[in-house]
Amino acid sequence: MITPRLKCIIDHTKGNRIADIGTDHAYIPIYLVKNDLAEYVIAGDVRQGPVDIAKANVEKHKLSDKIEVRLGSGLSVIEKGEVDTVIIAGMGGQLISEILSADIEKARKCNLVLQPMNAQYELRKYLISNGFSITDEDIAIEGFKVYNIMNVINKPQKEFDNDIEYHLPKYLVNHKYYKNLYDKKHREFVKVITGLENSKDVDEDKLNKYKYWLKELNKYES
């Protein structure tokens, strides 16, 4: 039930009252409460199907008094100040940015644990340009899949020196899974460049951008 990705998210979650946004099956809330890592968890999801499954799982574990499952979009399922920590995991980085923007004042009052499935570059850009700091970042591996888990707080952070760092931050260089992340980004860039070069109507700006990123990425190989 608890995969390496979910366990990494859990390991980076600290707080007494927690909201898990996009909870799906409520695996994280159940683990947090059963292992005395949280006193109370709000499990939110925008879809009725996952909400029903989450409620059934919570009831199965007899935790309905400590885990409340709510139907709703993003941070709309919590009131300002209701929780101290918010998990937003298992969705795209662009969607995470939109969820934070929609309820920015709620987001600023909480410690954030973010796990984007894609668009990590865009999410890091959003966070730093909107006054948030990435205080810690980890990498989880499941087979060939590579996941980034970020701890974020409401505190201004200096912009990265080089644009490529929004793809591959320097602070991850010594991580045991750094090479996995590097290889993932390299494959991604080469795939996009190859696709653009073989396209009939080439987007020259996008092609040049990815070629620049690939050139910069090669300097970071470890």
Side-chain angles (χ1 to χ4, degrees), residues 32-46:
L32 289 171
V33 171
K34 288 191 74 172
N35 289 276
D36 297 320
L37 298 173
E39 294 176 359
Y40 174 74
V41 184
I42 295 168
D45 207 288
V46 72

Side-chain angles (χ1 to χ4, degrees), residues 92-150:
Q94 192 64 45
L95 179 54
I96 292 175
S97 300
E98 291 169 4
I99 287 171
L100 296 176
S101 288
D103 284 288
I104 193 73
E105 293 309 313
K106 289 180 187 175
R108 292 196 188 285
K109 296 294 184 181
C110 301
N111 296 315
L112 305 175
V113 184
L114 310 179
Q115 186 271 300
M117 300 297 278
N118 55 39
Q120 293 84 2
Y121 170 92
E122 289 82 359
L123 179 57
R124 292 189 189 99
K125 282 256 180 183
Y126 169 83
L127 292 169
I128 293 174
S129 65
N130 283 275
F132 291 98
S133 285
I134 303 169
T135 59
D136 192 18
E137 186 166 344
D138 207 345
I139 304 170
I141 301 292
E142 290 181 14
F144 292 105
K145 294 181 179 179
V146 183
Y147 301 101
N148 295 79
I149 294 89
M150 307 174 191

Side-chain angles (χ1 to χ4, degrees), residues 24-36:
D24 202 18
H25 290 68
Y27 291 152
I28 289 177
I30 290 167
Y31 187 98
L32 289 171
V33 171
K34 288 191 74 172
N35 289 276
D36 297 320

Side-chain angles (χ1 to χ4, degrees), residues 32 38 83 87 90 130 158 196:
L32 289 171
V83 298
I87 302 167
N130 283 275
K158 181 179 176 291
L196 287 169

Side-chain angles (χ1 to χ4, degrees), residues 186 189-190 193 210-218:
H186 195 278
F189 292 169
V190 170
I193 290 168
Y210 272 85
K211 282 185 174 180
Y212 166 76
W213 281 339
L214 181 59
K215 180 181 176 182
E216 291 298 308
L217 188 70
N218 288 333

